[in-house]
Amino acid sequence: MVAPLDWGLGHATRCIPIVRALLQNNIQVILAAEGAQAALLKQEFPQLTCLPLTGYRVRYSRSRWLLPLKLLIQLPRLLANIRSEHDWLDVVIDQYQIDLVIADNRYGLNTKKIPCVFITHQLTIKAPSAWLEKRLQKINYRYINRFTACWVPDAAGKENAAGLLSHPANMPKTKVSYIGLLARFQKQPSATQFEYCILLSGPEPQRTLLENKILSGLSQVEGRILLVRGKPGSDEILKVPPHVTVKNHLPGNELGLALMQSEYIVSRSGYTTIMELLSLQKKAILIPTPGQTEQEYLAETLQQKQLSFTITQQQFNCQVHLEKAKQFGYISVELPLFMPVDIITLLNSIR
């Protein structure tokens, strides 16, 4: 069984290469998710059973400063969800004869009955203070150590994507394997159709706040622009300048082609998006979700490595910063990717 966290679509998206690898090696797969994550996985794998599994349903604030407080208020409910999914797992293991669980950041999906794998790139959880960060790591490891193994979607060496998030000074007790970047798309030569591809994603209300800011400035930007709104199921039509093409949503294959046909990608700095852009070696303009310390750290780290240009949502100005990105000294690196053949080696290592 493969079960992603419902914190945005990124966790479900990065499970797709894992599921593909299992299927290519003739391993039967059951999925577990709800809402948008379940819809995405069902679209990609319509032949597979998807069990309804209640998500953590984290709610966000409009203000980046209030976000930590809002998350803290929700903590008792999140802990209750973790206990609930732990009990749920014991029931479905027997019901569906599951013999392996792969949980992407779902802390409760572990049991002593069968091997359970935890997928995360956040061995370090960034926080506003060093004390809080250390405390969060202890809590994080307390849960991770209940799993048979931990798979980290990143490169093992100094050349990596997540920096200290995936390469902390102290490691958990459970076995950690660096499995390479999880990406749905493979780099292919493609003729440039768009100067900019703007990918909107992430939680509300911040997705809409960024969209409104971008829409107000598109008329001042030269070159063909593709705006992917990240709103599957929506039939809303936006009024935009003639050089802008709007898609409410793009399925995986179409999105991959759009990325390869675009010179610059404007997006959030979610880790799944970063893995895919690095795998395609695209020039990225990253705008972290306000208040998400992980995204802010990733964007800053990649800019320091000259792998991407970054700007805060508050400061972002379409005309000014899209032009500045053209002057940025991008460099590209080839980080190892997760390959379908790797899954057998990983599975053998936890038996």
Side-chain angles (χ1 to χ4, degrees), residues 8 10-11 31 44 88 141 147 171 243 247 291 303 324-325:
H11 294 276
L31 307 170
E44 188 73 25
W88 173 88
Y141 283 8
F147 287 78
M171 301 293 283
H243 66 289
K247 299 288 184 181
Q303 175 155 283
K324 276 191 174 183

Side-chain angles (χ1 to χ4, degrees), residues 7 56-58 71 74-83:
W7 201 310
Y56 292 2
R57 303 180 184 180
V58 176
L71 293 177
Q74 297 174 74
L75 185 58
R77 179 177 58 79
L78 297 179
L79 294 175
N81 284 1
I82 290 171
R83 291 191 294 270

Side-chain angles (χ1 to χ4, degrees), residues 40-52:
L40 175 68
L41 293 173
K42 287 177 182 179
Q43 183 181 59
E44 188 73 25
F45 305 106
Q47 78 279 20
L48 299 184
T49 299
C50 186
L51 305 179

